[in-house]
Structures are given as structure tokens and as C-alpha cells.
Amino acid sequence: DLMSTKEAQEQIVANMKKWQKIENASVSSTGRVIEKTENPIVRLVMEIIQRDSQMHYRVQELIADSLTTKAITLTPEEVGDVWGLIEKHIALEKQTIELAKSSLRAIEGKKGLVVQGYLLEYLLRDEEKHDVILAKLDEVKKGMYPYG
């Protein structure tokens, strides 16, 4: 039996609050690792995760707020005003993805470049993620205003 929209909203809000506590624990946890090591790779990876956790916390906050205090809208005007700039940014992301792929092809099979490959894979995934969330923003805009 399906839950009502109100029940679903309440569950999402409760989940976001729990999740935020875990993100805070993640920030502390990565901080402890950073304090204990001088290794530049381990430190960098922990800093990446720490920053991601801080961003996740903000996203969870917006999700919870949108269901409890203020509805979120994305009007065609709001998006329209900046969509040209967003499209320019999407073109930049495509360039960074190409550079990451080109770099990974260059080091393919090179035994001494494992760390560089590891970090390049991370950069590629992150740039691809940016590309996807920008493309989905267009879908959200169209979904809210299918005739806009």
C-alpha cells in the first residue's frame, strides 16, 4: 500500500535530517585521517570527500526546507536569464572531459603512472557528473513547465 504524498514528504525530511548527521560524522572522520597522515594522495582524497560531504549537507538542507518551509520553483524566466551562460558552461565541461580522456589514453598501460591514472579517473568522473547535472537541470526546467 502506497504512502500518501504527505507521508512521503515526512519520510524524506526525516531521512535528510539523519543523512545530515552522517555527513557531519564524515567531515569529522576525514578530518581525523588528514590529521594523522602527511601522505599527499591520502590527504587529497580525504579533502575531496570532506568537501563533497559539506555540499551534500547543503543539498539535503534544501530538500528538507523545500518540503517543510519554502517550496522550490524554477521559472522559465529564472532559467532563461542564465541559460545561455549555462550552455557556455556545458561546452567548458565537454572540453575538460575530453582532456581527462586524452590524458587517460596517454598513460594507458604505463606501469609507473598508477597514481596519476587514479586521480585522472576521479577528475573524469567529476566532470562527467557536472555534465549530467547540468543536462538534468534542463529536464527539470522542462518538467516544471513542459510548454516553456
Side-chain angles (χ1 to χ4, degrees), residues 15-142:
N15 286 349
M16 292 307 105
K17 297 299 174 194
K18 275 185 205 150
W19 197 347
Q20 284 184 306
K21 287 190 176 79
I22 297 167
E23 295 294 359
N24 281 339
S26 173
V27 169
S28 301
S29 170
T30 51
R32 283 192 293 278
V33 176
I34 291 165
E35 280 170 25
K36 285 254 189 309
T37 184
E38 290 301 313
N39 183 282
I41 302 158
V42 175
R43 289 178 69 94
L44 183 65
V45 169
M46 290 298 120
E47 285 168 24
I48 289 166
I49 294 168
Q50 197 171 63
R51 214 163 276 169
D52 283 353
S53 290
Q54 290 163 341
M55 284 310 300
H56 295 170
Y57 187 99
R58 288 178 54 193
V59 172
Q60 292 145 7
E61 189 80 5
L62 189 59
I63 292 168
D65 286 353
S66 74
L67 296 172
T68 53
T69 55
K70 50 182 179 296
I72 302 178
T73 59
L74 188 64
T75 69
E77 295 76 40
E78 287 170 320
V79 184
D81 287 346
V82 293
W83 197 253
L85 292 170
I86 291 172
E87 282 177 336
K88 283 193 177 88
H89 188 82
I90 290 170
L92 293 176
E93 296 291 349
K94 302 252 187 262
Q95 289 175 35
T96 62
I97 289 168
E98 221 18 78
L99 286 167
K101 286 180 176 174
S102 161
S103 300
L104 283 164
R105 281 191 301 271
I107 65 171
E108 218 169 281
K110 311 273 186 301
K111 294 257 187 293
L113 299 174
V114 176
V115 170
Q116 292 80 2
Y118 169 69
L119 295 171
L120 284 163
E121 284 284 345
Y122 156 72
L123 289 172
L124 175 60
R125 285 205 177 85
D126 232 36
E127 298 295 0
E128 287 174 336
K129 176 187 75 177
H130 298 164
D131 197 42
V132 168
I133 62 174
L134 287 167
K136 293 248 180 237
L137 186 60
D138 196 29
E139 288 175 28
V140 169
K141 171 186 77 166
K142 289 186 175 116

